[in-house]
Amino acid sequence: MDDQEMMDSVLEPEGPPPAPTEKIPTVIVDNMHIVYKVYGAGAGKGSATSALSRIIRRKSSPALTEVHAVKGISFTAYKGEAVGLIGSNGSGKSTTLAAIAGLLPPAQGAVYTNGQPSLLGVNAALMNDLTGERNVVLGCLAMGMTYAEVREKYQDIVDFSGINDKGDFISLPMRTYSSGMGARLRFSISAARTHDVLMIDEALSTGDAAFRKRSEERIRELRKEAGTVFLVSHSNSTIRDTCNRTIWLEHGLIRADGPTEDVVKEYEDWSAKR
Amino acid sequence: MSTVFEQRAADVADPDAGLSPAELAAKYGLTISGRRPSLIEYSRQLWQRRFFIGAYATAKLMVQYSSSKLGQVWQVLTPLLNAAVYFLIFDLLLHISKGIPDYIPYLCTGVFVFNFTQAAVLSGTRSISDNLGLIRALHFPRATLPIAFTVNQLQQLIVSMGVLGVIVLVSGLPVTMNWLLIIPILLLQATFNAGLAMFMARIGAKTSDMAQLMPFIIRTWMYLSGVFWAVNSVADKLPHWAGTLIEANPALIYIELMRYALMDSVPASSLPHHVWIMAVAWAVIGGLGGYVFFWKAEEEYGRG
């Protein structure tokens, strides 16, 4: 970090705190390749005749397409870092997070983590038929809290999510929530516990401005509690406000990895030129 | 690679610089992400989630009929209607009841007890695929899901047992000390069912076609389990090995035991041989076997 940046981060109260001085690795990604196997692409898996002809011809599997989503990336994330992942659609950002969370097995290479990384994505629905209230309790219990801890945290979670700002929504089933409300509640539940590694996949972009501000503060707190936060977002301003380090992925490869300001700038210049 | 990256790499230069990623991971005690914990560690995590299992089962019970007008009344109506359908077909139309005293409580016990196993297996098969959102969002031992579904079915069975108690009394049968046996029988069956639910959960998570196939397998099993007729009358006519095989059926054993506990007219002599040993053996083998089988693929649930 050069002097100019140091000045910036001191003068700029909204900016992310500087990178931690002590370096304790929490996530090590070592030459990781991720290959998706897509079955039945264009082979008419659903049709009975094609299934029958497959059986007659003794062809064991329908057409198999391989998608090489991540092509060998390596990086090490440290305690107290907030790492932003940027890149155009389909560059492998979400896949990388899923692999760190242990949800996707690397085809080659390895991911080493400290504790259990928690992945929080926009698509991660909790239990839609249950009320928000029950979802909060169940989510907390699933993370291993006791009833006493849930009682203690419950009000904070509801207040933080802002679900009850427009009436008593917390006692309605989650399927009646807007996508933004659902994402807010899910984030609030996940953020109620200290995670060694918390990964957030565009969950913040669905919230309104006030919620975004609260979440950014919470992410800063989580980092202080000696965790590592990964954030995937298409909003460069969110990345700038929250992350002290940014990794730019393109076509499944790391194009740049460094202080947020430099990498985001480079990414913006590159996007403008396209 | 950009200059930014190189600059970052220079920043990182520290005592650990010479280490390979694997050595660095080992030095700081990092482990491969998503690796399955040992069986003991897994059981410890599962025990930690016992509140979640209870709360999840109860929550499911509460919302189950929330979209219907009669709501929780269905909790009692569903088993009653089930029994009514079988009574219509097997007693009124087919006269299978000949030679079986107190056919209505006999039939209802069979239907309710078998339904517990059936529902646990069916919901267990779907327990992973129906909860992918939860699995991908939070970290918890996945076995909590099939177990929670089994607990949920047990709660429903307890409601049904209340209905059954009334049916038995209305049929003119007395309350006896044998009714106390209901509790150990339910616990043994629940353990067996939880194991079976976990076993099916792993299979259902891998092969989604299983959810389509299960209703047929279950129906075959039901007809073999003496829900409607006395299996021992059939078993006696078969060769010895086939009779033994039919009498070893866990669903049959739990149903016969429950009938013996509830109905004064069912004598101990009508039970299959070694029935209590078999009931315990099935609970231990099914419960432990299903648990270990499920744990073996723990890291794979929710992937892909």
Side-chain angles (χ1 to χ4, degrees), chain A residues 116 118 143 189-198 222 226-228:
Chain A
Q116 290 186 318
S118 296
M143 290 191 295
I189 294 170
S190 299
R193 214 192 114 208
T194 321
H195 297 272
D196 294 328
V197 179
L198 179 65
L222 285 172
T228 307

Side-chain angles (χ1 to χ4, degrees), chain B:
Chain B
M1 203 70 72
S2 80
T3 50
V4 178
F5 180 63
E6 284 149 20
Q7 183 194 328
R8 175 80 198 181
D11 277 353
V12 172
D14 58 41
D16 300 329
L19 296 175
S20 78
E23 286 163 353
L24 189 64
K27 181 177 172 187
Y28 287 94
L30 305 191
T31 49
I32 286 181
S33 185
R35 205 173 46 179
R36 162 165 49 103
S38 72
L39 196 57
I40 292 166
E41 168 63 17
Y42 190 67
S43 307
R44 199 189 58 76
Q45 290 179 9
L46 194 64
W47 176 245
Q48 220 178 17
R49 302 305 200 283
R50 62 194 181 279
F51 303 113
F52 172 69
I53 294 176
Y56 189 57
T58 312
K60 278 270 171 206
L61 193 70
M62 290 300 153
V63 297
Q64 192 163 33
Y65 299 108
S66 62
S67 55
S68 60
K69 268 192 187 155
L70 288 176
Q72 297 298 315
V73 179
W74 282 108
Q75 216 67 263
V76 178
L77 272 184
T78 313
L80 273 182
L81 287 175
N82 252 326
V85 169
Y86 292 125
F87 177 70
L88 175 75
I89 294 171
F90 292 98
D91 191 39
L92 296 182
L93 295 177
L94 294 175
H95 303 295
I96 283 177
S97 62
K98 259 182 270 169
I100 300 173
D102 302 306
Y103 188 65
I104 294 179
Y106 183 91
L107 174 71
C108 287
T109 312
V111 170
F112 293 178
V113 171
F114 187 81
N115 193 51
F116 177 30
T117 297
Q118 166 177 338
V121 169
L122 289 180
S123 58
T125 310
R126 291 192 313 265
S127 61
I128 297 298
S129 49
D130 283 1
N131 286 289
L132 281 181
L134 192 63
I135 286 175
R136 289 183 179 156
L138 301 172
H139 259 288
F140 58 91
R142 310 314 188 195
T144 47
L145 291 173
I147 293 175
F149 279 85
T150 309
V151 172
N152 171 253
Q153 298 302 336
L154 179 63
Q155 290 168 332
Q156 293 187 48
L157 180 67
I158 289 170
V159 176
S160 302
M161 291 308 285
V163 176
L164 189 57
V166 175
I167 293 176
V168 170
L169 292 178
V170 167
S171 310
L173 290 166
V175 178
T176 63
M177 286 302 280
N178 275 356
W179 281 38
L180 288 176
L181 292 174
I182 294 172
I183 296 163
I185 297 169
L186 278 187
L187 286 178
L188 288 174
Q189 197 198 356
T191 313
F192 171 75
N193 285 356
L196 199 57
M198 284 186 275
F199 184 84
M200 289 315 300
R202 173 168 170 187
I203 293 181
K206 288 279 168 56
T207 25
S208 47
D209 296 313
M210 217 48 207
Q212 318 294 327
L213 196 60
M214 275 322 282
F216 302 104
I217 296 173
I218 290 275
R219 211 173 306 160
T220 314
W221 191 13
M222 180 172 76
Y223 286 111
L224 287 174
S225 300
V227 173
F228 319 110
W229 60 77
V231 162
N232 50 6
S233 65
V234 181
D236 289 346
K237 290 173 199 138
L238 291 170
H240 180 69
W241 64 268
T244 311
L245 205 64
I246 282 186
E247 291 199 333
N249 174 358
L252 174 79
I253 283 170
Y254 294 123
I255 290 172
E256 291 290 339
L257 273 178
M258 193 61 89
R259 281 175 181 151
Y260 168 68
L262 271 173
M263 298 167 64
D264 196 37
S265 50
V266 174
S269 59
S270 73
L271 293 175
H273 303 298
H274 314 298
V275 68
W276 284 103
I277 295 171
M278 298 274 259
V280 173
W282 273 118
V284 172
I285 294 169
L288 273 183
Y291 181 59
V292 172
F293 182 74
F294 185 88
W295 162 77
K296 284 261 183 200
E298 172 73 8
E299 71 275 26
E300 286 161 38
Y301 304 123
R303 273 185 176 177

Side-chain angles (χ1 to χ4, degrees), chain A residues 50-127:
Chain A
S50 70
L52 187 66
S53 78
R54 264 207 316 278
I55 292 166
I56 292 168
R57 285 188 214 143
R58 299 200 173 180
K59 221 171 91 183
S60 58
S61 73
L64 182 79
T65 316
E66 287 200 342
V67 180
H68 205 154
V70 175
K71 300 165 189 162
I73 63 171
S74 303
F75 63 85
T76 304
Y78 297 89
K79 215 174 217 182
E81 269 188 333
V83 183
L85 286 172
I86 56 172
S88 49
N89 285 330
S91 56
K93 307 182 294 288
S94 299
T95 308
T96 304
L97 283 198
I100 296 173
L103 294 173
L104 284 171
Q108 200 190 316
V111 183
Y112 304 91
T113 56
N114 163 21
Q116 290 186 318
S118 296
L119 174 60
L120 181 66
V122 267
N123 302 321
L126 292 177
M127 287 147 280

